[in-house]
Amino acid sequence: MFATLLAMTLGVTSDEELVRRFGSGDRSAFSELVRRYQSRVYSLCFRWLRDPAKAEEVAQDVFIALYKSLADFRGESKLSTWIFRVATNHCKNRLVYGNRRREDRHESIDAPVGGDDDGPVKQYAIDAPGPDASINRAEASKLLQAALDALDEDQREIVLLRDVDDLSYEEIAELLQLPKGTVKSRLHRARAELARRLSRKVGLEDVV
Amino acid sequence: MTDPRAPENLSALLDGELDPDEVEAVERALREDPALRAELHALQEAMEFTREHGPVEPPAGFAERLNARIDAELAPPSLWERLRDALRQLPWEGLALAAAGALVLFFVQSAPKQTPATTGGDDAGVDAVAQGRPELGVEGAPALAPAAAPSPPPTALAQGPEAGPAVATPDAVAQARPRSNPSLRLPDPAPSDAASESGQDGLASAELSAAAPADPTRGSLGAGGQKGLDAAMSYRLRASDKRVLSQLSELARLNGGQLIDASTGEAMDLRAFDSATQAQVVMRVRADRVTAATTALRRLGELDYLARRDDLLYGSGAVDVAIDVQLSEGSTR
């Protein structure tokens, strides 16, 4: 009973309260923040970096940066915005670093053959979707990754922040330092492009 | 209000980001325009597909590993660690030399004049170096092996578990002897290639030059262009996955060096081990970081965990450490 009440209490504890508790020496407050954000941060990292090991490493780097900075966090922006800004920057930096070291050479599933943007798309497992086609979750995840990879960086960034990390328009505007109207139009273009990429590969209604 | 047929309003409608008036206007436009409805449908499918399949759960143990990293990298040092650091600041070499001088002086003065001189003390010095080093505790590997043929050996004194501070280096002995007591009859120390070549604090180098490879086949692993340091230490680690290799690489980096693929002699590329079940790597670290690196390796072997960062930073020079990494079959990731 007590544990349930405690869990309920923790469930409604605001980020600001957890930051305050951490500042007064309560490390469990940090653990609660990790529990609260780990899935979203890891997902963001995974979708940027496409590699589980790198995603975990960078996600941990994000939380370590948070641990170092939390005591000085003054709440001028939302904690969630800060966390996802750091996560996004870490991922982008890692990609730049990886590209410099040629670590992250990969082949886009959706890349046109021969580099011609209008050329035929390479055909992988799901190349002939029809009414009876169905794909499993792992395939769907790969399919989504390929479509995300095909977006330009700004589009990928905004789709990930909105549809994977569930940030509001206001939070995204603050994080990216863009007017809300720009967020709205950029997100729309990104989703439209994503829809186009996905529909080329499979009928979404067939995904199970 | 913006044009209800403006495309961006469709996404905003799906996200609940429109005012009630805007919602009504967009919905009216949708009722009148089948193409707009189709566009909304496509957007909605893409959005739902992304929300359904975009999130990825972190691997099991993520929070535990994060906490361990925080403990290792950020937690304040314990009382014991602060004490140990303070002890490291003491002039151990000078104290050891003074103690050695006093001991030798005592024996010289107390020995009967007619007793013939013996040479047994030389071997004892080697043994002290070899035996004073505790087993490293890393799976399947001895720590330091005795020298193959150090002739004559460097003088060595009793030493603590961390070994470093109590070892009297040949250079230090050579420098201190005339000043401290001209009547001492210490053996001439063998020139230390490592110390003389690198010009560094000879502590770690002296330890290594007094040791020989535990496995002669490892001799070529640790060359690294530093004569006298070849495979002076070897470890055998059992890696459950490629993460351990990453940790070794990080460990080498934190100790001013890098991890080297023993088969190519080049900086290790982790991807090269994707299909391997066994790998031989050389961890190159700064010479004065050998003790810290050893501690880190022990923790890595025993706890599968990287050492504290504050163990790992300072000094100059380089030493190669041969590492035999056993990757479990099919466990790479």
Side-chain angles (χ1 to χ4, degrees), chain A:
Chain A
M1 181 65 181
F2 176 77
T4 303
L5 288 173
L6 181 62
M8 289 174 64
T9 302
L10 287 175
V12 298
T13 302
S14 67
D15 287 354
E16 290 72 21
E17 172 62 13
L18 291 171
V19 170
R20 190 196 62 74
R21 281 170 43 192
F22 180 80
S24 60
D26 180 2
R27 185 166 161 176
S28 70
F30 179 76
S31 298
E32 171 61 16
L33 286 171
V34 171
R35 189 198 62 75
R36 189 172 289 186
Y37 285 102
Q38 64 178 0
S39 293
R40 294 162 72 193
V41 169
Y42 179 80
S43 295
L44 184 70
C45 295
F46 180 83
R47 290 302 175 193
W48 271 109
L49 302 171
R50 305 176 289 272
D51 178 276
K54 288 179 189 171
E56 175 167 352
E57 182 184 345
V58 172
Q60 290 196 356
D61 287 345
V62 171
F63 284 113
I64 286 175
L66 175 65
Y67 189 95
K68 287 178 178 173
S69 308
L70 203 53
D72 299 324
F73 185 76
R74 290 196 292 270
E76 291 167 352
S77 61
K78 287 182 67 175
L79 184 68
S80 59
T81 307
W82 186 91
I83 289 173
F84 291 113
R85 178 188 296 132
V86 171
T88 300
N89 289 340
H90 271 62
C91 291
K92 286 181 174 178
N93 289 341
R94 183 57 181 262
L95 282 178
V96 170
Y97 173 77
N99 288 337
R100 198 180 297 147
R101 290 173 55 88
R102 299 180 180 178
E103 279 184 352
D104 286 315
R105 285 173 297 188
H106 69 284
E107 184 179 42
S108 171
I109 294 174
D110 211 13
V113 174
D116 180 359
D117 203 32
D118 296 326
V121 174
K122 284 184 178 177
Q123 301 299 295
Y124 285 77
I126 313 158
D127 57 355
D132 297 328
S134 65
I135 58 176
N136 63 33
R137 293 189 64 84
E139 289 171 328
S141 180
K142 288 181 183 175
L143 187 67
L144 174 63
Q145 187 66 58
L148 288 169
D149 289 347
L151 300 180
D152 69 39
E153 190 172 286
D154 287 344
Q155 291 180 338
R156 188 187 320 149
E157 178 177 56
I158 204 163
V159 165
L160 290 176
L161 291 173
R162 175 60 194 158
D163 290 336
V164 175
D165 286 325
D166 202 28
L167 267 61
S168 68
Y169 282 27
E170 285 79 9
E171 288 172 315
I172 296 171
E174 182 183 344
L175 193 155
L176 299 180
Q177 298 188 313
L178 294 172
K180 189 176 171 184
T182 305
V183 170
K184 195 166 133 181
S185 56
R186 184 181 292 180
L187 179 62
H188 172 76
R189 285 197 299 273
R191 277 183 180 154
E193 179 63 18
L194 192 67
R196 189 180 72 81
R197 297 274 176 179
L198 288 169
S199 64
R200 289 170 68 189
K201 299 304 296 177
V202 66
L204 292 177
E205 66 275 13
D206 298 324
V207 175
V208 294

Side-chain angles (χ1 to χ4, degrees), chain B residues 65-158:
Chain B
R65 288 190 291 278
L66 172 63
N67 281 329
R69 264 189 75 182
I70 289 172
D71 285 340
E73 296 179 19
L74 302 176
S78 66
L79 180 62
W80 159 245
E81 287 164 334
R82 290 198 298 270
L83 178 62
R84 182 196 58 197
D85 291 342
L87 290 173
R88 280 179 178 165
Q89 303 303 317
L90 292 176
W92 285 106
E93 292 184 28
L95 294 174
L97 281 173
L103 199 60
V104 171
L105 188 60
F106 172 78
F107 280 116
V108 167
Q109 291 183 341
S110 61
K113 297 293 182 188
Q114 65 274 21
T115 302
T118 64
T119 56
D122 292 350
D123 293 336
V126 177
D127 290 344
V129 172
Q131 295 170 4
R133 190 79 183 186
E135 289 295 321
L136 292 176
V138 180
E139 186 176 351
L144 294 172
S151 177
T155 300
L157 301 172

